[in-house]
Amino acid sequence: MNALTDRSQVAAAVQRALDVSPITDIHTHLYPPQLGRLARTGIDELLTYHYLVAELFRVARDAIDTERFWTQPQARQADLVWEHLFQRRSPISEACRGVVTCLQALGLDPAQRDLSDYRKYFAAATPEQQLARVLELSHVRTVVMTNDPLDEVEANLWQAGAGRDDRFQAALRIDPILCAWSQTGARLRAAGYDVQPDLSAATFGEVRRFLDEWIRRLRPVYAAAALPPSFRFPDEALAARLLKHCVLPLAKEHGLPFAVMLGVRRQVNSTLRLAGDGVGWADVAALGNLCAAFPDNRFLCTVLARENQHELTVVARKFPNLHVFGCWWFMNTPSLVAETTRMRIELLGHSFTFQHSDARVLEQLIYKWSHSKTILAQVLTDKYVDLADSGWPLRQHQIEREVTGLLGGAGWQFIAG
Ligand code: RAT
Ligand code: ZN
């Protein structure tokens, strides 16, 4: 087979690889239909996505009272988002454009002025049908959920024996243990675990027992926590001690990677509720220290601040037990995805997971992946053309293999150990 040489051939080969590669979405907040209202879908969910709610309050500060907004039914909240962000102005932000992309991909007319036809369209499909349709349109084969055993609604469903769906893999999320120990300790105590606020050896053992039970119940592919910019390691703070004495030894025992999501400042504006979290610069050196102190553990990492991306990529070069993934949340913005992906390829080759969607609403898989893939196509084409210009023979099958790796294959390999 002839090597691909000119730019149009390379671009076509990359596009084909992107079209045929199945995606593993390594971090989402999606759930299978049997988890009932946790499995969000439809136009009202799309419009009340917290990324859009934050934008609504920016433009309708005088017209909408924040407290009153939260007391309104979801359909009314969606009407307000539609009116202020989609009717009174062009929906040009990334989160707004995402809704437009979804409507178009689903065969709905984005120019529709009222929401009732969209609502009818979504009401006509069963959750199972809609799931199949969206997975097909987005080329997503597997999604990794976010499973918090301290979320009462979710925990009750699993404890009641909610059925599993192979397309949805679990991730054990433990933010409340690492970041809110005083409340979480009290809850664990109430649930019969003999934990003390001071974190004695016996307490570590009890936390471990709790986590162990949930690992056996959920069979997660990794454990994870989002950590604030103040996180340090080593450190005498609770999060660092819990990680050192409890979480990481347990993760090692179960062969589970631990995903560190660095740089979130929770509730910088609590009136916005879920939309009220912000970003701060993280101490990426702490991650390197973790990788060095626990060489037999595997770490996944994504960082929220643009300013931390370069350091994270360099740390990944130093530690083969670290796998970088995705452009997280505020980083999932086309200009930042482009620069971050370009840099990661230049420093790491293909040894990272290009993207995760963070989708909270099923249909978001469509836009988050199609927007990201457009960027990956541009970046990869440039990089492969540079390589061809240097005299390297490029082959279609090789490009396909590498694209499959970037779209989740490399992540699976890392997770599998
Ligand atoms: O992107 C988001 O929706 C955020 O609210 C968070 O869920 C974040 O991704 C997280 O996992 O903490
Ligand atoms: Zn998330």
Side-chain angles (χ1 to χ4, degrees), residues 29-169:
H29 300 261
L30 300 178
Y31 304 89
Q34 59 268 30
L35 265 75
R37 67 187 170 90
L38 290 190
R40 297 188 177 84
T41 170
I43 189 65
D44 291 335
E45 292 286 0
L46 282 171
L47 289 172
T48 53
Y49 186 34
H50 68 90
Y51 294 22
L52 289 175
V53 168
E55 291 176 31
L56 170 69
F57 288 126
R58 293 196 58 70
V59 297
R61 200 157 52 99
D62 299 330
I64 302 174
D65 174 71
T66 324
E67 277 315 307
R68 199 157 160 261
F69 175 83
W70 295 118
T71 63
Q72 294 183 328
Q74 187 183 41
R76 176 67 193 136
Q77 295 175 352
D79 285 340
L80 288 168
V81 172
W82 186 246
E83 178 193 335
H84 287 276
L85 295 178
F86 291 78
Q87 294 193 296
R88 295 195 185 196
R89 37 185 71 76
S90 309
I92 201 169
S93 74
E94 174 61 10
C96 283
R97 180 171 70 105
V99 176
V100 179
T101 301
C102 292
L103 294 174
Q104 189 191 39
L106 291 166
L108 297 164
D109 176 8
Q112 184 81 36
R113 302 308 282 176
D114 83 73
L115 295 176
S116 52
D117 283 356
Y118 302 154
R119 288 184 174 130
K120 277 190 212 133
Y121 163 87
F122 285 105
T126 65
E128 231 348 293
Q129 285 166 338
Q130 188 64 359
L131 173 61
R133 186 184 291 166
V134 170
L135 292 181
E136 190 184 327
L137 281 171
S138 60
H139 293 275
V140 172
R141 181 180 287 171
T142 310
V143 302
V144 179
M145 307 175 277
T146 294
N147 306 104
D148 177 357
L150 286 149
D151 178 302
E152 250 175 69
V153 175
E154 188 184 347
N156 287 340
L157 289 166
W158 294 124
Q159 275 165 327
R164 290 298 288 267
D165 177 326
D166 284 348
R167 295 166 295 184
F168 291 79
Q169 296 293 321

Side-chain angles (χ1 to χ4, degrees), residues 339-377:
E339 72 172 27
T340 306
T341 303
R342 207 170 276 277
M343 176 194 59
R344 287 178 179 171
I345 289 179
E346 287 160 0
L347 281 165
L348 300 174
H350 303 98
S351 66
F352 69 100
T353 294
F354 157 63
Q355 188 56 303
H356 64 268
S357 72
D358 233 317
R360 285 178 179 264
V361 182
L362 175 65
E363 291 77 14
Q364 290 169 342
L365 289 176
I366 298 171
Y367 94 80
K368 298 219 183 209
W369 281 105
S370 75
H371 291 189
S372 291
K373 277 169 51 169
T374 302
I375 296 162
L376 183 59

Side-chain angles (χ1 to χ4, degrees), residues 27 29 49-51 146 173 175 226 261 266 274 277 328-329 358 360:
H27 170 61
H29 300 261
Y49 186 34
H50 68 90
Y51 294 22
T146 294
R173 188 73 181 249
D175 301 26
M261 304 168 77
R266 294 290 181 201
L274 192 54
D277 295 340
W328 178 28
W329 193 351
D358 233 317
R360 285 178 179 264

